[in-house]
Amino acid sequence: MIPVQGYDGRQVAVLGLGRSGLATARALAAGGATPVVWDDSPRGRDMAEAEGWDVRDLTRSGAFAGIAALIVSPGIPHLYPSPNPVIAAAWAAGVPVDNDIGLFFRSWATDDWDGFDSPPRVIAVTGSNGKSTTSALIHHILVENGRPAQLAGNIGRGVLDLDPAHDGEVVVLELSSYQTDLARHMTPDVAVLTNISPDHLDRHAGPGGYFAAKRRLFAEGGPDRAVIGVDENEGLYLANQLVDDLSDDRLIRVSVTRKLTDGWCVFARKGFLSEYRRGKQVGAIDLRDVKGLPGAHNHQNACAAYAAVRTLGIGPKGIEVALHSYPGLPHRSQLVAERGGVRFVNDSKATNVDAAAKALQAFPAIRWICGGLQKEGGLDGLIPHLGAVKTAYVIGREAEAFALQLPGIETVVCGTMDVAVARASADAQPGEVVLLAPACASFDQYDSFAARGDDFTALVLAGA
């Protein structure tokens, strides 16, 4: 646990009592603060009472008297589409609003660090797609190369559940736009932007607000090194703002669409990763046989992770060996089984059009399981990437409407996962891939993308 610094002897309110909220209350108490907690759901309040916390209705008038700060869980809207009433009350009372990411950065460094030979580092990863894989891959490379490391944030452990730092340790944080948008303190040593595509637009009032939330990690965080995916205009814009010219080694540009040779850059073309520095190639890796990272989208993740760990002095050979032992993450291009020459791949995390499009480009012949709760913008972005699809097996409550948006390919309206897996398995030929890449949220039928992926995996393994 990371005891929160700066609130000793003061009351701090916590709104939202899921995993991160309860961890925040514990970390505040460990640092000498007195947590005052609230959740809109009775279940959350019951859990807090069972731990002995002071549960106080923060929606009541005068609830913020004597409160030093309000710490908000990431799933709670603070501005768009409308502020949560508790957050609005904190603003009106002049109480600072923060989240657990802000508390982590203000509390991570301690006096113990004075005795370390090498100061701990923080690598923070954000972006629309690939940030989980990139974060896990960075952590894997570090561990495989003998560097002490912890993984937290939007993946794995909550940030305040981390162990206190060790000499030379690296913490890898996956940060969503919900987390970067509100944190009052962000000071990573290395910050990574994988890519940008439309997502969470209601929460950020459009693409500009979404990009602004991501940009805060770099513009306000002031990292020593920035790794920026430059295959979209937002990445190009951000990279252009961070340095005066490409000779500045504080910036590493990453691409999977073109060759880069100026400055410090890492790119992948036709399955080969290359690192250039000041016009000279200094590293290369053949990614084609790395089983845990199939497709160009995963090659982008590999480039971003490679660049991040290069800033810490890990050599290309050590990175290459680690890439080949990377097992992949559940629900992200996860190879579930191979049967009769047919591979079954779980990419349930492909919850938007851009992520699904990248998954569809990773394999040559696909039996595609798709559908669910559609996000804004429709499916037009998928149309150019359907060439490898033999048949689409559509699930979800609006399966028929989804199927009508897929011109030129055979569609089978299945409705439920069990029907889709059975039909796709029966139709698939050797050399083909049965791919779950829904391009939609899961909440019409499942509690989460993970529950959806688990259902697919269980059905595949049962031989449905």
Side-chain angles (χ1 to χ4, degrees):
M1 181 187 298
I2 307 298
V4 173
Q5 300 180 37
Y7 294 109
D8 188 14
R10 307 173 75 186
Q11 289 189 330
V12 178
V14 178
L15 176 63
L17 299 174
R19 183 191 67 167
S20 67
L22 290 172
T24 296
R26 298 180 197 115
L28 284 163
T34 300
V36 174
V37 304
W38 180 252
D39 194 290
D40 290 335
S41 76
R43 181 175 180 273
R45 298 195 294 269
D46 290 345
M47 291 174 62
E49 287 179 346
E51 289 199 26
W53 302 120
D54 179 3
V55 178
R56 185 182 306 177
D57 187 351
L58 297 175
T59 65
R60 293 182 177 178
S61 177
F64 282 95
I67 298 295
L70 171 65
I71 312 303
V72 180
S73 294
I76 299 174
H78 57 272
L79 187 55
Y80 303 111
S82 62
N84 180 280
V86 173
I87 295 174
W91 291 344
V95 173
V97 179
D98 203 349
N99 61 16
D100 60 340
I101 303 301
L103 295 183
F104 167 81
F105 277 109
R106 71 181 287 165
S107 306
W108 174 235
T110 67
D111 293 339
D112 294 340
W113 290 24
D114 292 339
F116 291 165
D117 293 328
S118 299
R121 305 287 187 90
V122 175
I123 299 176
V125 181
T126 194
S128 298
N129 299 304
K131 57 184 179 292
S132 294
T133 295
T134 299
S135 300
L137 187 54
I138 291 170
H139 179 261
H140 178 78
I141 294 170
L142 291 169
V143 171
E144 291 297 299
N145 282 271
R147 297 290 294 269
Q150 298 186 73
L151 178 65
N154 206 43
I155 184 175
R157 305 164 73 179
V159 291
L160 296 175
D161 273 335
L162 288 169
D163 299 325
H166 298 289
D167 194 340
E169 186 171 43
V170 182
V171 164
V172 185
L173 300 181
E174 180 198 340
L175 300 181
S176 72
S177 60
Y178 294 1
Q179 294 166 313
T180 59
D181 196 21
L182 189 59
R184 298 173 73 91
H185 304 270
M186 287 187 293
T187 54
D189 298 281
V190 182
V192 179
L193 177 72
T194 57
N195 50 61
I196 288 287
S197 62
D199 206 1
H200 306 305
L201 300 187
D202 57 337
R203 176 70 177 262
H204 299 291
Y210 176 61
F211 174 57
K214 300 288 191 184
R215 182 179 176 273
R216 289 191 72 240
L217 181 63
F218 302 85
E220 299 182 32
D224 295 333
R225 290 269 168 71
V227 175
I228 307 291
V230 294
D231 288 337
E232 296 87 29
N233 285 333
E234 291 86 353
L236 286 167
Y237 170 86
L238 183 56
N240 183 264
Q241 285 198 318
L242 293 178
V243 295
D244 293 328
D245 58 67
L246 293 179
S247 65
D248 192 330
D249 280 350
R250 291 176 298 171
L251 170 68
I252 306 176
R253 295 174 299 143
V254 167
S255 176
V256 290
T257 63
R258 62 188 183 279
K259 181 177 181 179
L260 303 172
T261 57
D262 295 325
W264 195 354
C265 49
V266 180
F267 65 91
R269 297 182 70 191
K270 298 181 179 179
F272 288 88
L273 179 153
S274 298
E275 176 191 5
Y276 275 74
R277 197 164 185 179
R278 298 173 184 171
K280 295 182 179 180
Q281 186 172 7
V282 295
I285 297 176
D286 184 350
L287 299 173
R288 294 174 299 175
D289 294 328
V290 179
K291 293 184 178 180
L293 298 166
H297 62 305
N298 274 313
H299 293 173
Q300 183 183 58
N301 300 332
C303 287
Y306 176 102
V309 298
R310 288 289 282 140
T311 69
L312 303 182
I314 296 178
K317 291 297 183 184
I319 298 172
E320 182 174 11
V321 171
L323 291 180
H324 280 281
S325 64
Y326 176 66
L329 281 177
H331 317 299
R332 298 160 177 88
S333 297
Q334 176 193 12
L335 179 61
V336 172
E338 188 166 354
R339 193 163 53 234
V342 176
R343 287 180 289 167
F344 295 81
V345 175
N346 168 18
D347 203 347
S348 184
K349 186 62 169 65
T351 59
N352 60 42
V353 164
D354 186 64
K358 290 176 177 176
L360 290 172
Q361 296 172 71
F363 306 101
I366 299 170
R367 303 287 174 170
W368 179 33
I369 298 177
C370 54
L373 187 63
Q374 286 192 54
K375 296 186 176 181
E376 294 181 22
L379 303 180
D380 290 348
L382 281 175
I383 305 306
H385 308 293
L386 299 178
V389 176
K390 300 294 184 181
T391 307
Y393 305 84
V394 188
I395 63 173
R397 294 178 184 172
E398 300 177 351
E400 292 185 6
F402 189 101
L404 290 173
Q405 299 176 67
L406 302 174
I409 64 170
E410 180 182 358
T411 59
V412 179
V413 175
C414 298
T416 59
M417 185 71 75
D418 58 337
V419 175
V421 170
R423 288 292 303 270
S425 299
D427 294 345
Q429 301 298 311
E432 295 181 348
V433 172
V434 175
L435 172 67
L436 171 65
C440 292
S442 60
F443 302 119
D444 59 334
Q445 292 181 313
Y446 299 94
D447 290 338
S448 66
F449 73 83
R452 177 173 59 191
D454 288 342
D455 191 19
F456 170 81
T457 298
L459 289 165
V460 169
L461 295 178

